[in-house]
Amino acid sequence: MAVDYTVIVVYLAGMLAMGWWGMRRARSKSEFLVAGRRLGPAMYSGTMAAIVLGGASTIGGVGLGYRYGLSGAWMVFTIGLGLLALSVFFSARIARLKVYTVSEMLDLRYGDTRAARSASVEGGGGRRVGRAGLISGVVMWAYTLMLAVTSTIAYATIFDVLFDMNRTVAIVLGGAIVVAYSTLGGMWSITLTDMVQFVVKTIGVLLLLLPIAVVKAGGFSEMRAKLPTSYFDPLGIGGETIFTYVLIYTFGMLIGQDIWQRVFTARSDRTAKWGGTGAGTYCLVYALAGAVIGTAAKVLYPKLGSPDDAFATIVKDELPVGVRGLVLAAALAAVMSTSSGALIACATVANNDIWSRLRGVVRRGGEEHDEVKGNRVFILIMGVAVIGTAIALNNVVEALTVAYNLLVGGLLVPILGGLLWKRGTVQGALASVLVGGLAVIGLMAGYGILANEPVYYGLLASLAAYAVVSLATRPTDEAVLTVWRERLAGRSPELESEPVPAHQ
């Protein structure tokens, strides 16, 4: 195991070194939060694939393959479909907005006071818009926080396999490394580490673990002979489950702050579209690979205590020294990429959408404001909160389900409505967030947190509220829509209070 330990230690040290290197580049808010909006297609595609394919997609994807066979690929497959839909239909417009958060997009579309001022629009609902932006920010913050927490908890599983380490110590160790490099260099550090993590995952899971697992299981013919036919049924996991995955994960990919923040890093709308398409296609391949590995594990270990043990067991027992360390590093990479992306998204929302609104910041002409330092402090604070919550939390699945249900039930309609329907109004958006969010909470209390009904009916309630209230209220001011169209066309710079660095 000494060689495996060495591989892991070198990998972790490399992550910290890249955090230090990224700190030298992150000298403005744009550089720190969105890598200066300068990523090209290759780096954009790799980092986007890295963030969406986390511990749930790797360890959980193999576990679903162990339990259901090839149809276990559907969870990760729907993530890939969501990324493809985002890239093909929305990413170019999102990238051209030149904002930092989803709530800022809502502010621009529905008439935030800053956007209104830039369009010489006075009065008319500024307080209402601020409230809508604050509520959407709180919902997005809860989602990104729980996403970071669940990824952080996954360190315990990996470090337990590696070092037989105490759960709390494992969470603190893994979380501290992610918090350190994220705080140092922001999105530049995360981008660099994600590229390494993407390469490690590709080699470790696709090129090493997949073929070795299939060979050890005797090949596909042997797998078919030893397993029920349901293991090779593409729909074996069940139609209702697949539909729920589409609602939660495919639609979740369209609106999550962690995903949008990566779209903001693209240097052009063409990069966002085609780089994201490449990442989405990679996700589809990764989904199938995880299901096949899990199916092979079922042949090798038919009576595991938990399907989620399949990944660690097959790695520990079937891979040679050195290769085992690399594949475990791949699992660690998957967890770290999602954790760091969720962490910077959580901190960005907390600082820009919640804290700045609550304290009512108004910048004066000569006022000095170190935005990089402020965002760095928020990453550190949120990182400590994530580690503490991960240590205290037991039922991760329920917590993440609550976050995804609120995200999709409360924010999907006003976000996509704002992008697709001119008649949508700020009152409709606020009603949609409130009605959808409250419906989801009430239905989870009635049906249970893990039931499918809350997201089904919550989404319908959100849609109905958005349409009815928007049609019953005055259309959005034409001046606000003009600003919005200018942004969508890429003809406006970032907000006046957030200038683009001169070297861009």
Side-chain angles (χ1 to χ4, degrees), residues 157-397:
T157 302
I158 298 170
F159 282 116
D160 179 56
V161 174
L162 284 171
F163 308 114
D164 192 25
M165 188 178 290
N166 174 270
R167 177 181 183 273
T168 299
V169 175
I171 288 172
V172 171
L173 175 60
I177 292 171
V178 169
V179 171
Y181 72 70
S182 301
T183 302
L184 285 172
M187 187 59 82
W188 266 122
S189 293
I190 293 171
T191 296
L192 295 170
T193 55
D194 276 359
M195 278 305 297
V196 175
Q197 290 159 356
F198 171 73
V199 172
V200 170
K201 279 192 289 192
T202 301
I203 295 173
V205 176
L206 297 184
L207 302 184
L208 292 176
L209 182 56
L210 174 61
I212 290 174
V214 172
V215 170
K216 291 283 186 177
F220 284 102
S221 58
E222 189 70 13
M223 290 162 63
R224 282 185 173 275
K226 290 187 175 181
L227 295 173
T229 56
S230 62
Y231 268 69
F232 302 92
D233 180 357
L235 304 178
I237 198 170
E240 185 177 356
T241 299
I242 295 170
F243 182 66
T244 302
Y245 284 159
V246 169
L247 279 185
I248 292 178
Y249 297 114
T250 301
F251 287 134
M253 286 295 106
L254 298 179
I255 59 174
Q257 169 68 24
D258 52 324
I259 310 302
W260 277 43
Q261 199 156 343
R262 293 311 174 96
V263 175
F264 300 150
T265 66
R267 71 183 178 200
S268 68
D269 51 7
R270 184 178 177 84
T271 296
K273 181 176 182 178
W274 295 112
T277 300
T281 303
Y282 178 90
C283 291
L284 303 184
V285 175
Y286 200 88
L288 186 59
V292 171
I293 293 168
T295 304
K298 183 68 174 179
V299 173
L300 295 168
Y301 313 100
K303 295 183 179 180
L304 287 179
S306 168
D308 286 340
D309 294 336
F311 180 88
T313 303
I314 197 170
V315 169
K316 196 172 184 180
D317 294 350
E318 302 298 335
L319 299 185
V321 173
V323 173
R324 179 170 52 220
L326 183 59
V327 173
L328 286 171
L332 199 57
V335 174
M336 283 188 161
S337 57
T338 299
S339 181
S340 59
L343 176 60
I344 193 171
C346 179
T348 302
V349 171
N351 187 18
N352 292 271
D353 292 339
I354 299 175
W355 175 242
S356 65
R357 294 172 192 270
L358 289 177
R359 67 178 182 170
V361 172
V362 178
R363 300 209 182 118
R364 297 173 177 84
E367 183 180 354
E368 291 291 330
H369 184 74
D370 189 343
E371 293 186 290
V372 173
K373 181 179 178 181
N375 282 291
R376 189 172 277 142
V377 167
F378 264 86
I379 289 180
L380 183 59
I381 293 171
M382 290 299 105
V384 172
V386 165
I387 293 172
T389 306
I391 292 171
L393 201 61
N394 288 321
N395 199 323
V396 181
V397 175

Side-chain angles (χ1 to χ4, degrees), residues 106-162:
L106 293 173
D107 288 341
L108 276 168
R109 166 58 182 84
Y110 294 111
D112 173 71
T113 50
R114 286 179 295 176
R117 280 199 301 273
S118 66
S120 300
V121 178
E122 300 295 334
R127 180 179 308 232
R128 231 176 12 247
V129 176
R131 193 176 304 151
L134 178 62
I135 292 172
S136 66
V138 170
V139 173
M140 190 64 74
W141 174 79
Y143 158 73
T144 52
L145 177 72
M146 293 317 306
L147 188 62
V149 166
T150 53
S151 299
T152 302
I153 289 174
Y155 297 133
T157 302
I158 298 170
F159 282 116
D160 179 56
V161 174
L162 284 171

Side-chain angles (χ1 to χ4, degrees), residues 58-75:
T58 303
I59 299 171
V62 171
L64 287 172
Y66 182 90
R67 185 175 179 183
Y68 297 105
L70 298 186
S71 66
W74 272 106
M75 183 187 76

